[in-house]
Every structure is written in C-alpha cells, then in structure tokens.
Amino acid sequence: MTRTIMDLAETRAFLDREFPQMNAGGRAFVLEDVGPLSARMRLAGDERFLRPGGTLSGPAMMALADYALYAAILANIGPVALAVTTSLTFNFLRKPAGLDLIAETRLLKLGRRLAVGEVRIASPDSDDLVAQANGTYSIPPR
Amino acid sequence: MTRTIMDLAETRAFLDREFPQMNAGGRAFVLEDVGPLSARMRLAGDERFLRPGGTLSGPAMMALADYALYAAILANIGPVALAVTTSLTFNFLRKPAGLDLIAETRLLKLGRRLAVGEVRIASPDSDDLVAQANGTYSIPPR
Amino acid sequence: MTRTIMDLAETRAFLDREFPQMNAGGRAFVLEDVGPLSARMRLAGDERFLRPGGTLSGPAMMALADYALYAAILANIGPVALAVTTSLTFNFLRKPAGLDLIAETRLLKLGRRLAVGEVRIASPDSDDLVAQANGTYSIPPR
Amino acid sequence: MTRTIMDLAETRAFLDREFPQMNAGGRAFVLEDVGPLSARMRLAGDERFLRPGGTLSGPAMMALADYALYAAILANIGPVALAVTTSLTFNFLRKPAGLDLIAETRLLKLGRRLAVGEVRIASPDSDDLVAQANGTYSIPPR
C-alpha cells in the first residue's frame, strides 16, 4: 500500500474534531506526517510541560504517544471507524536533550478488530530514544 | 507499618513543588489520602478533559495514575529520594459514569531501588473499573 | 452471576484438550477452582522449573499466568468461543518462598470481543506477591 | 562499541549454566548471534510447543523473548553481574508461518542499574511479526 486512506490535512482535521482538548491553550501537538502504517507527531516544547530540572513530563509524553498512534490508525483506516485505546505501555528511557519531542509510530498490526502499534519518542535529530511505547486499539465493527 | 513518612499535607506540598504544571489552569488533580503503601487521588471533572461523547481522555487518566502512584511512593519513602517513572502500563476498560474519577493505588513492592504499584481508576461510588494501571519507578541511591 | 458456564471439571477437561503440552512430562499446572470472573491455578514445584539458587523460572510463571487467565475466561464464557491471548504484561516482584505457586485471577472486563484480567502469583499461604500480571484476550465472533 | 563483552560461545555457555532447564528434554532454544546491544535466538520447532491447529504456544514465545533479551544483556555487560527480569510485556500479533521462530532483540537502554530491550519474533525469512515484546531487567550493583 502506498497511500493512506486519509492524507495529512484530513487526518489533522479529524484529530482537531475528535480531540479538541489536545491543544487547548495553544497548539503543542503537531501531526507532521502520515504514511502507510505510520505517522509522525511533534510535541513542541512549551512551559506547560516543563518539570523542575527541565525535563518533560511523563503525562505529556504519554499523550504524544497516544495521539500519534491514533493518527496512524485513523489515517490508515479512514474516518468511518473510530479506534478506541484499549491498552498502552510506556518505557521511559532517557532525559530529552531539549524541549521538542518527535514521536515516530509504526503499526505492527492493523486487523479488522484490533490495531497494535509502537512509538519511538526522541529529540529531533537524535537517535537516542527518550521513550518507547506500545498501544493496542479496538476498532469497532463498521 | 501504620504510618507514612510524609502525611497528606506534606505529600500534597511535595507534589505541588515537583509538578507545578499538574494543575495549571485550575486545580483538577486532588490527592485525597495517603497510607501505608497506598494513596488515593481524585481527578475532578473538568471541561479540559472532555472528549466528544462525554467520555474522559486517555491522557488525563494516564496522568492521574502516574501522579497517584508517585504520591503513594513519596508518602512512603519520604522526600529525600526522588522516584522516576521507568514504565507504565494502562488498560482502559469502560466508559466512566460521570466526570470525576478516583484512583486508588497500592504499592506491590517498595524496594531500595525499584517500586512497583498498581492503580484502579473508577467513578466515585462505583466498583466497575474504568481503567487499571501498573507502574514501575526507579528510586535513586540516597 | 453466581455460577460459571463451565464448572471446574469441564474447564479442566477443556484445558487438557486445548493445551496438551501444558503438562507434558508430568502434571505441574493444576486448575484448583473456577468462579464468577475468577480462577485459581497452582504450579506444583518441580525440578523442571528450578533455576540455580532455587528460584522459579520466569517463563514457568508466565505460563502459569496465561493458563490461569485462559481458564477464568473459558469457565465464564463456555467452550463455544476460543479466546486468543493478544497481550500479557508481567511484573516480577519477589523470590518465592518455596516451590509451589498459586495464581489467583480476576477478570476486570469480560466483553463480547475482549476480555481483560489480572493475576496475582504468590506462594501458598503467603500474602507477599511473587509476581503480578495482566492479560488481554480477543474473543472471536461466535 | 563494536564488540560485546562475551562472544557467542561464552554467552551460550553462560546461558547453559544459568538456565539448565531451558532445553531440558532436547535442545530447542538456540542462541544464534550476539552483537552490540543485540542478540538473535531461534526457537526450533518441536512437538512440545505445538498447539491444536499447529500454532505455537504463547508461553514458548514468552520464554524465547526472555532468554533472548537476557542473552543480549549478558553478552553486553559480561558475566560479572546477573540481570534479573523485573517486567515483560508481550503483544501476540499473528500466527506463525511454520514451526521455527527467530527472536531479534535490541537493547534500548543499558544503564548501570536497568536495562530495557525489545524483541521482534518472526518466522525465518519473514517480515511479518508474530509477536513483539519489551523487557526491563534489573542489574545488581557489582
């Protein structure tokens, strides 16, 4: 498959409708790309997510992973079915180098009823992973 | 052990210092109790966490679980060592009945170097679990 | 609900048919009880599962958790639909006191398409958990 | 780093000493390679691991992942410190194509006290993942 069901603009619009609280108070989560069984989302550095010492909050990274996986699934199955997160697992590995974080997702399985994906979160231009996550999503019957 | 190292007021103050962004924009996460190897935290219903359809956002619940586990650990080991989340696993089970959520945590292990706890998230006065989580925290050498 | 769909004898027979390799070489996993949304299974101590130092092997405990959860689900939904493990998470907490282990399972959710359960593994007559696990199982359409 | 602390032969010998029950009854788990922050292990198809319908058992795959991750860690830190599994997460994705399975591991973090790795399990010569796993291991002070 070389194309997604929804392109980047359509997926962004869908996320805005589905998650109006995602960027409440100023845009921080930005979907940068969608592709076959994949998506990339950026969490732009922002005071709201700072912790003492300058590291980024765990919950902010968990939200990034969840939104990024959701974007990858929706881009690949289209807006006709709504995926619901059933489980998520996070491993927090290293402090990030700066404020911005990039989440690269890959769907390991995209079935009729379940989607499973993984997320790698890193600082831009860095190979060292800040966090790694896995998510399972339930796809309702259409 | 019948008492915690930090009581409820001390633990609340510690959380406010460590996570100033936790309740940015208005108090939503409220630590209600700490006890031996346990803690209880409420996420007060708020527009910020609403999703279309009235359900609560996954990221809000994940933040609740993380803060609640952190509170349980800190209350039980004191402010001298800072626990860092190393991994978290969430299972999202049911839609909540209303806007408020209660997280009850229990530490399954509180070692010198690692703490492991579980969280049960439910609507107040309800036995049906909305979500269940497990977390592992690294305790640095003191 | 006060009764399961399959009783203990029926569930045992079902497990023997479904998992002939479970006790290959001598019975080690014994289903002791099934109940509403629950089951209890024992792993009888055996040389095969010993590690140097006398602790029990991780894989033996993971198998115990998987079989015990499967038993709880099947006892509660009956033999007409076969659950398939989609994900499992384990936390290994303490060395066991002896050779035998008891797994107590509780189903947190038993839906039409997904079942989620947790397992507590401990030495008999001990409250200290040796391991804790969560599993998600997919229930095919019937 | 271009070389591991223990080479393949040394790591195999170490596993045989540490896990004498791993291949009790006939060799089934074979460590095929170790490298910087990585290892590859094969589970050779065997009747013992068959389930009705010809698929491979979950517990067999979980053992494969645990042994493979352990091998990767030990090859990279040497035999002087013993890693202990603290947590493991598995996602079971697809039925395997045949009897043999290959586990490719990659260590995401190899710290002084914690190691985190991921495992991809697939049929030989296949890109479709049968299972994916993550593990966290505690490294005792040396």
Side-chain angles (χ1 to χ4, degrees):
Chain A
M1 172 175 48
T2 53
R3 293 183 56 181
T4 52
I5 301 286
M6 293 199 290
D7 64 18
L8 180 59
E10 291 167 328
T11 309
R12 280 176 169 170
F14 190 88
L15 287 179
D16 283 346
R17 284 195 309 273
E18 282 297 300
F19 301 102
Q21 81 284 7
M22 190 169 81
N23 287 319
R27 185 155 289 269
F29 296 94
V30 179
L31 183 63
E32 293 196 332
D33 193 28
V34 295
L37 300 180
S38 67
R40 187 176 74 244
M41 183 174 273
R42 172 183 298 252
L43 173 53
D46 184 314
E47 286 190 8
R48 279 180 297 164
F49 304 116
L50 277 182
R51 283 198 58 189
T55 65
L56 289 155
S57 83
M61 284 194 270
M62 294 191 280
L64 173 62
D66 194 23
Y67 291 137
L69 276 167
Y70 200 85
I73 294 169
L74 265 300
N76 280 275
I77 64 174
V80 292
L82 304 178
V84 178
T85 318
T86 57
S87 65
L88 279 166
T89 298
F90 299 89
N91 286 297
F92 299 98
L93 304 169
R94 298 176 181 80
K95 283 187 181 180
L99 288 186
D100 282 18
L101 289 175
I102 303 289
E104 299 269 9
T105 73
R106 181 162 76 146
L107 299 181
L108 302 178
K109 173 175 175 173
L110 186 60
R112 279 196 335 264
R113 309 181 341 137
L114 278 184
V116 181
E118 60 172 4
V119 191
R120 282 161 153 58
I121 293 177
S123 300
D125 306 319
S126 168
D127 285 335
D128 287 335
L129 290 187
V130 173
Q132 187 266 359
N134 283 77
T136 299
Y137 295 74
S138 179
I139 301 170
R142 308 179 206 191
Chain B
M1 171 177 48
T2 54
R3 293 183 56 183
T4 54
I5 302 288
M6 294 199 290
D7 65 17
L8 180 59
E10 290 167 328
T11 310
R12 280 176 170 168
F14 190 88
L15 287 180
D16 283 347
R17 285 195 307 273
E18 283 297 301
F19 300 102
Q21 80 286 4
M22 189 169 82
N23 287 319
R27 184 153 291 268
F29 296 95
V30 178
L31 183 64
E32 294 195 331
D33 194 26
V34 294
L37 301 180
S38 67
R40 187 175 73 245
M41 182 174 273
R42 173 184 296 255
L43 172 54
D46 185 315
E47 289 191 4
R48 280 180 295 166
F49 303 117
L50 276 183
R51 283 198 59 189
T55 65
L56 288 156
S57 84
M61 285 195 271
M62 295 192 280
L64 173 62
D66 193 25
Y67 292 137
L69 276 167
Y70 200 85
I73 294 169
L74 266 300
N76 280 273
I77 65 176
V80 293
L82 304 177
V84 178
T85 318
T86 58
S87 65
L88 278 165
T89 299
F90 298 89
N91 287 297
F92 298 99
L93 304 169
R94 298 176 182 81
K95 283 188 182 181
L99 288 186
D100 282 19
L101 288 175
I102 304 289
E104 299 269 9
T105 73
R106 181 161 80 142
L107 299 182
L108 303 178
K109 173 176 176 172
L110 187 59
R112 280 196 334 264
R113 311 185 336 140
L114 278 184
V116 181
E118 60 171 6
V119 192
R120 280 160 155 56
I121 293 176
S123 301
D125 305 320
S126 167
D127 286 335
D128 287 335
L129 291 187
V130 173
Q132 188 266 358
N134 282 77
T136 298
Y137 295 73
S138 177
I139 302 170
R142 309 180 205 189
Chain C
M1 174 177 45
T2 55
R3 293 184 56 181
T4 54
I5 301 288
M6 294 199 290
D7 65 18
L8 180 59
E10 291 167 327
T11 309
R12 281 176 170 170
F14 191 88
L15 286 181
D16 284 346
R17 284 195 308 273
E18 282 299 299
F19 300 102
Q21 80 287 4
M22 189 169 82
N23 287 319
R27 184 154 288 270
F29 296 95
V30 179
L31 183 64
E32 294 196 330
D33 194 26
V34 294
L37 300 179
S38 67
R40 185 177 75 246
M41 182 173 273
R42 172 183 296 254
L43 173 53
D46 184 314
E47 286 191 7
R48 280 180 296 164
F49 304 117
L50 277 182
R51 285 199 57 192
T55 65
L56 288 155
S57 83
M61 285 195 268
M62 295 191 280
L64 173 62
D66 194 24
Y67 291 137
L69 276 167
Y70 200 86
I73 294 168
L74 266 298
N76 280 275
I77 63 175
V80 292
L82 305 177
V84 178
T85 317
T86 57
S87 64
L88 279 166
T89 299
F90 298 89
N91 286 297
F92 299 99
L93 303 168
R94 300 176 181 80
K95 284 187 179 178
L99 289 186
D100 282 18
L101 288 175
I102 303 289
E104 299 269 8
T105 73
R106 181 162 76 145
L107 298 182
L108 303 178
K109 173 177 177 172
L110 187 59
R112 279 195 334 264
R113 304 176 352 131
L114 278 184
V116 181
E118 59 172 5
V119 191
R120 283 161 152 56
I121 293 177
S123 300
D125 306 320
S126 168
D127 285 335
D128 288 335
L129 291 187
V130 172
Q132 188 267 357
N134 281 76
T136 298
Y137 295 74
S138 177
I139 300 169
R142 309 180 205 192
Chain D
M1 173 179 46
T2 54
R3 293 184 58 182
T4 54
I5 301 289
M6 292 199 291
D7 65 18
L8 181 58
E10 290 166 329
T11 309
R12 279 176 170 169
F14 191 87
L15 286 179
D16 284 346
R17 285 195 307 273
E18 283 298 301
F19 300 102
Q21 81 285 5
M22 190 170 81
N23 287 319
R27 183 152 293 267
F29 296 95
V30 179
L31 184 63
E32 293 196 331
D33 194 25
V34 294
L37 300 180
S38 68
R40 186 176 75 245
M41 182 174 273
R42 174 184 296 255
L43 172 54
D46 185 314
E47 288 191 6
R48 280 180 295 165
F49 303 117
L50 276 182
R51 282 198 58 189
T55 66
L56 289 156
S57 84
M61 285 195 268
M62 295 191 282
L64 173 63
D66 194 23
Y67 292 137
L69 276 167
Y70 201 85
I73 294 168
L74 266 299
N76 280 274
I77 64 175
V80 294
L82 304 178
V84 179
T85 318
T86 58
S87 64
L88 279 166
T89 299
F90 299 89
N91 287 297
F92 298 99
L93 303 169
R94 297 175 182 80
K95 283 189 181 179
L99 289 185
D100 282 17
L101 288 175
I102 303 288
E104 299 268 9
T105 72
R106 181 162 77 144
L107 298 182
L108 302 178
K109 173 176 176 172
L110 187 59
R112 281 195 334 264
R113 312 187 332 143
L114 278 183
V116 182
E118 62 172 4
V119 191
R120 280 160 155 57
I121 293 177
S123 300
D125 306 319
S126 168
D127 286 335
D128 287 336
L129 292 187
V130 173
Q132 188 266 358
N134 282 76
T136 298
Y137 295 74
S138 178
I139 301 170
R142 309 181 205 189

